[in-house]
Structure formats: structure tokens, C-alpha cells
Amino acid sequence: MVGLLGYGLLTRSPSAPGVAPQASGGAIVASAGAPALITGLTILSPTDGQSVATKDVNVIGTAPPGVTITQDVSFGLDQHTASDGTGHWAMKVGLKDGENKLVFRIGDDASTRKEIRVTYTPQTP
């Protein structure tokens, strides 16, 4: 799996986790609260019903850290990736011309199934 950092979609913060620079004087103070726990499967991009002009799309989402994300490919081999330590994941998916139904789940758990439709319309020269 190539993480979101590898795709250039996320960057590392220069400060330590849970620490944010203060607005005045540049002093460093601890931020309040721990990060929220990620539960279930969420697809952040592309959005359901989105049209694209590229043959491949990077599907980006969140899930509990360290779980396997499965793209359910009808009549084909499923694709897999894993969420990173922060729960983020990305998967490159090839599209066919027209509407594409993309189905994802956590591992083999059908109750976590999420479906989006993405339309690929090639640009005409």
C-alpha cells in the first residue's frame, strides 16, 4: 500500500502530534483532547455521482487503523489495501468508460459495505 503521504495528499505537520503553535508569541501549547476514534468505513473522494476525465482514480477514505480495505470487484479479483496508523487509506482504481459502480468494505465484513458511482468520460481531442 502506498500511504496518503506517498500520493502527496497529506503532509506531515512540523510539530509533534497533539501540539499546536500558539497564535501569539510562537510558544507551543498542548492541544485539547485526543483524536476521535474512527469507526466504520468512509469514502472521502471521489464523491458519489462524480464525473472524471481520467481513466484511473485514487479512492481515499478512512477506517479503523490497521484494517484491510477490500474493493469488491464483480466477476474479478478483489483489490486490497490497509488503513495506516491514523486510519487513512488510498487505493488506485481503474475505470471503464461510462458509469462505474465501486464497492468497498472492511475485510470480509459485508455490514461495512460502501458503494459509490463514478462516471468516466474521456476528453475528446
Side-chain angles (χ1 to χ4, degrees):
M1 176 190 96
V2 176
L4 295 177
L5 290 171
Y7 281 116
L9 300 170
L10 291 180
T11 58
R12 292 187 193 272
S13 171
S15 61
V19 175
Q22 189 177 18
S24 62
I28 296 178
V29 295
S31 59
L37 225 72
I38 298 173
T39 58
L41 179 66
T42 303
I43 299 172
L44 303 173
S45 176
T47 58
D48 187 34
Q50 185 172 343
S51 293
V52 298
T54 57
K55 186 78 172 163
D56 296 317
V57 65
N58 289 320
V59 179
I60 300 167
T62 61
V67 299
T68 298
I69 308 302
T70 300
Q71 179 192 9
D72 186 6
V73 180
S74 289
F75 305 109
L77 297 175
D78 291 348
Q79 285 194 89
H80 305 279
T81 191
S83 58
D84 65 18
T86 64
H88 294 89
W89 59 272
M91 182 185 295
K92 186 175 184 176
V93 176
L95 303 173
K96 61 179 177 50
D97 287 3
E99 187 177 85
N100 294 262
K101 181 174 81 170
L102 306 179
V103 179
F104 297 88
R105 66 180 185 270
I106 296 174
D108 289 328
D109 186 353
S111 71
T112 62
R113 183 180 187 273
K114 299 289 180 185
E115 177 181 312
I116 59 172
R117 293 183 187 275
V118 177
T119 302
Y120 168 53
T121 307
Q123 293 181 344
T124 54

